Amino acid sequence: AQSVAQPEDQVNVAEGNPLTVKCTYSVSGNPYLFWYVQYPNRGLQFLLKYITGDNLVKGSYGFEAEFNKSQTSFHLKKPSALVSDSALYFCAVRDSGGYNKLIFGAGTRLAVHP
Amino acid sequence: NAGVTQTPKFQVLKTGQSMTLQCAQDMNHEYMSWYRQDPGMGLRLIHYSVGAGITDQGEVPNGYNVSRSTTEDFPLRLLSAAPSQTSVYFCASSYGRTSGGYNEQFFGPGTRLTVL
């Protein structure tokens, strides 16, 4: 069965420090991976995706993610965190059954402190 | 473009009542989906559609019906509301296979439903 795990419920980081939000996945076949962000009382916004190619994917708002096939991971990173990055982050994998169905992780709350 | 719109934003129902959550998109997307979001569980797929007239079940379809008579609209019907359906509901849309099939989904602002 395909699944996504986000091992941390919450990540705390000081403003200006680098941040990492972890994601591991389990799929049959090639993984197609996504990161979304949810600000309070809003819908999810797309950040970036990995389909194929370069293992380092760059996305919106200065975020990037590193795909590691051997570790089945797709960690979200940013070199210098902002207070405005505080939000709920979701990792998702496309279901191998097709039709662009997504399987989401439980989410990680990022808190950036001034 | 308005993107993906959902109505209502908030709704309180009594057990046994029925209602329809509305979703519309103006991006000519083939795919549309309904998810529910519960604390600590991420988003779970309820139903989805790959085009007008075509729908299928997701992970948690029980108690919900959908139809898709047009490309733009994808309403979600609660047949007989139960407290277990208290949740935040999100509609999403994306381009489909004709655009590669690996496209990001655009989400609506959500409907917060409480069933008493």
Side-chain angles (χ1 to χ4, degrees):
Chain A
Q2 295 161 118
S3 63
V4 174
Q6 294 182 242
E8 301 154 317
D9 290 335
Q10 179 151 334
V11 170
N12 297 296
V13 64
E15 187 174 31
N17 283 1
L19 69 87
T20 299
V21 182
K22 296 179 180 177
C23 172
T24 59
Y25 64 89
S26 174
V27 298
S28 54
N30 292 324
Y32 304 109
L33 299 154
F34 299 79
W35 275 102
Y36 287 84
V37 60
Q38 185 181 31
Y39 297 102
N41 301 312
R42 302 283 296 277
L44 276 69
Q45 296 178 31
F46 169 75
L47 279 179
L48 49 80
K49 65 182 176 184
Y50 173 83
I51 303 300
T52 187
D54 196 347
N55 289 345
L56 186 64
V57 180
K58 294 191 183 298
S60 306
Y61 312 123
F63 283 92
E64 58 191 25
E66 187 171 11
F67 171 70
N68 187 316
K69 188 172 184 178
S70 62
Q71 296 186 4
T72 62
S73 67
F74 189 55
H75 300 332
L76 181 70
K77 300 182 179 185
K78 188 174 183 182
S80 178
L82 300 172
V83 172
S84 57
D85 292 330
S86 299
L88 188 56
Y89 290 81
F90 291 98
C91 181
V93 64
R94 182 178 179 269
D95 189 290
S96 63
Y99 300 119
N100 213 22
K101 292 162 60 179
L102 292 180
I103 299 168
F104 283 86
T108 298
R109 188 163 300 281
L110 173 67
V112 182
H113 304 285
Chain B
N1 285 349
V4 180
T5 57
Q6 291 183 238
T7 56
K9 285 187 167 50
F10 301 95
Q11 183 69 50
V12 179
L13 292 178
K14 295 181 180 178
T15 297
Q17 288 184 316
S18 62
M19 78 160 295
T20 299
L21 279 64
Q22 301 291 344
C23 173
Q25 54 90 10
D26 61 358
M27 297 173 281
N28 202 32
H29 284 166
E30 296 170 51
Y31 292 172
M32 295 187 75
S33 307
W34 276 103
Y35 295 88
R36 59 178 288 173
Q37 182 181 20
D38 301 293
M41 301 186 74
L43 279 76
R44 292 180 293 169
L45 182 65
I46 304 171
H47 286 284
Y48 66 98
S49 168
V50 300
I54 306 171
T55 64
D56 206 346
Q57 295 180 351
E59 181 186 357
V60 288
N62 292 343
Y64 308 95
N65 270 358
V66 292
S67 60
R68 187 143 176 228
S69 56
T70 67
T71 299
E72 293 78 19
D73 300 299
F74 191 43
L76 178 72
R77 297 182 191 83
L78 278 71
L79 309 173
S80 177
S84 60
Q85 294 179 304
T86 294
S87 187
V88 182
Y89 291 84
F90 289 101
C91 179
S93 71
S94 71
Y95 290 111
R97 284 185 170 177
T98 55
S99 303
Y102 309 115
N103 303 288
E104 60 270 24
Q105 298 192 15
F106 292 78
F107 284 79
T111 294
R112 187 174 295 274
L113 176 68
T114 301
V115 183
L116 302 175

